[in-house]
Amino acid sequence: MSYSALSHLDCPRCGARHDADVVQGTCSCGSPLLARYDLGEVRTSPRDIAGRPPDLWRYHELLPVRAARHVVSLGEGMTPLLALPRLGRALGVPNLLMKDESLIPTGTFKARGAAVGISRAAELGVRAIAMPTNGNAGAAWSVYAARAGLRSLVAMPAAAPAVTRAECAAAGAELYLVDGLIGDAGRLIAAAVAQRPGYQDASTLREPYRVEGKKTMGLEIAEQLGWRLPGVIVYPTGGGVGIIGIYKALRELLELGWVAGDLPRLVAVQSTGCAPIVRAFQAGATASEPWPDPKTVAFGITVPNAPGDFLILEALYATGGTAVAVTDEALLADQGAVARLEGSFICPEGAACVSAVRELRESGWLAGSDEVVVLNTGTGLIYPDTVPARVPVLPPSGSIP
Ligand SMILES: Cc1ncc(COP(=O)(O)O)c(C=O)c1O
Ligand SMILES: [Zn+2]
């Protein structure tokens, strides 16, 4: 049995089939490409997986890297699936779980897409990658590129979390700040890539393998529940690569027969300050309109125009899911609630999922008996400024009241 069961790439829009063993971007029709596997050839069982090291490469048959020696790893994956009993009771959803991506290299789930994307790019002979980012993906791709010996070119909004800038710089990325949004950074990167032979554009869904890395969140949730699926998965959606990946993972697991039953209802969470997917979902549309003047403290989900919008919406409709927008005020309050009740300092994007659970329970969309998994996509440590810590400063000669 080969290390990877990858067979080809296909276009989810026009159906065209593409060779997976040469460097590919998007389809000629403009759509992202998705990796397909010979799942019927996979002889591995969940029991075999259980004996493998605790990182995302334990699912290597379902990942695109053809040879184990091409794996570039910092130990990513198998993050905890934590019960949140006190928060769950407070929200009226006692079976509340959190997939906690704060315990992963670089502190966000972006490490998954970077590990798989960089490994496969290097395996196909790519020597340099280029990408626009809201910060976290740039940091992750920079460190994995460094580990693989690849060059990286990154552009991010000047307002992106400062620590991600430091991480790119430390890893030796060629980094530019843009006085604008991620779309502006994307235009600059596309123009630079056109001038620089050998650079691969690794923007969201412009190469096929980042989504394969993010898919492993779905594989892990199923494995950690004993190869069973939860009722609902709640995901903070920007470009939507994570939710597209989770949906893809769960369908592959069904096809393999490793899980059975209904797919979880998938919930895309956005901010009221940038909610193009929520608006499209509410209109019953299959594509979104660009969101004017996007703004939220949950910086990772400030994506006004997602190229994979139709894939996100398909995942919501096909699973009987929904889309919810929450305010910054609500998500900041819930960031505090999670820390106080459960001892976990989560990122604002993860906190948005908690606010969405609160809303969906109040509206009755969630029942008290539902088993709900929220994704905390990163550590709160990346965004120290979102939590005001007003504390007294004492002189050395002072005393504590
Ligand atoms: C912490 C965090 N959460 C969520 C997202 C959204 O990711 P996706 O592209 O999977 O929607 C991002 C993207 O930058 C992020 O940094
Ligand atoms: Zn196509």
Side-chain angles (χ1 to χ4, degrees), residues 20-394:
D21 287 302
V22 294
V23 177
Q24 298 276 11
T26 50
C27 185
S28 51
C29 79
S31 166
L33 297 175
L34 295 176
R36 299 298 178 201
Y37 298 82
D38 280 325
L39 296 177
E41 299 297 307
V42 174
R43 297 281 165 264
T44 312
S45 71
R47 188 196 276 275
D48 302 320
I49 303 272
R52 294 180 179 174
D55 60 43
L56 62 77
W57 300 101
R58 65 204 273 109
Y59 309 111
H60 58 75
E61 288 91 345
L62 309 182
L63 293 172
V65 177
R66 294 246 185 241
R69 69 179 184 283
H70 290 137
V71 166
V72 179
S73 178
L74 293 163
E76 56 288 333
M78 276 322 243
T79 55
L81 183 65
L82 298 172
L84 302 180
R86 296 220 290 164
L87 181 69
R89 275 197 301 277
L91 296 180
V93 185
N95 294 321
L96 181 64
L97 300 159
M98 175 168 76
K99 179 70 172 159
D100 189 8
E101 295 289 294
S102 54
L103 282 89
I104 198 164
T106 75
T108 76
F109 77 121
K110 297 284 182 179
R112 296 178 186 268
V116 174
I118 288 282
S119 298
R120 182 65 176 149
E123 182 169 60
L124 291 175
V126 171
R127 304 304 311 151
I129 58 99
M131 68 192 311
T133 171
N134 271 338
N136 293 325
W141 282 71
S142 297
V143 302
Y144 282 89
R147 188 155 173 88
L150 267 59
R151 286 193 304 283
S152 55
L153 167 64
V154 177
M156 66 171 76
V163 71
T164 62
R165 188 187 302 178
E167 201 166 1
C168 292
E174 181 184 346
L175 175 67
Y176 299 93
L177 298 183
V178 185
D179 199 8
L181 295 170
I182 187 166
D184 303 306
R187 273 183 292 282
L188 292 169
I189 288 290
V193 168
Q195 301 298 322
R196 294 194 186 192
Y199 274 76
Q200 185 184 11
D201 187 340
S203 310
T204 299
L205 295 171
R206 290 197 162 275
E207 60 73 52
Y209 300 116
R210 188 201 294 211
V211 64
E212 295 303 294
K214 291 193 176 185
K215 162 178 109 173
T216 58
M217 292 187 288
L219 302 177
E220 287 178 20
I221 290 170
E223 181 178 1
Q224 288 170 315
L225 289 174
W227 299 105
R228 187 174 62 71
L229 299 177
V232 179
I233 297 179
V234 185
Y235 183 80
T237 303
V241 186
I243 198 165
I244 295 166
I246 289 170
Y247 177 59
K248 185 170 188 287
L250 300 179
R251 297 204 340 168
E252 288 172 1
L253 290 179
L254 277 180
E255 197 179 328
L256 281 165
W258 293 6
V259 296
D262 291 334
L263 285 178
R265 289 180 287 161
L266 298 179
V267 179
V269 182
Q270 300 199 298
S271 154
T272 50
C274 182
I277 299 298
V278 177
R279 183 176 278 175
F281 180 83
Q282 286 168 350
T286 52
S288 63
E289 297 294 326
W291 189 269
D293 194 24
K295 199 166 174 17
T296 165
V297 292
F299 204 76
I301 55 175
T302 319
V303 179
N305 193 11
D309 56 355
F310 66 107
L311 297 172
I312 304 169
L313 289 159
E314 181 199 321
L316 304 183
Y317 295 132
T319 61
T322 190
V324 188
V326 302
T327 64
D328 279 1
E329 202 180 9
L331 69 89
L332 290 174
D334 278 321
Q335 190 186 26
V338 175
R340 276 192 314 279
L341 292 175
E342 301 289 358
S344 182
F345 186 31
I346 67 174
C347 65
E349 295 84 352
C353 293
V354 175
S355 301
V357 169
R358 188 184 290 282
E359 263 186 37
L360 291 171
R361 182 71 187 99
E362 278 166 13
S363 73
W365 193 89
L366 281 176
S369 55
D370 279 327
E371 184 177 38
V372 179
V373 176
V374 293
L375 263 296
N376 173 41
T377 41
T379 169
L381 299 176
I382 293 170
Y383 303 82
D385 302 333
T386 56
V387 180
R390 282 188 262 331
V391 289
V393 179
L394 303 175

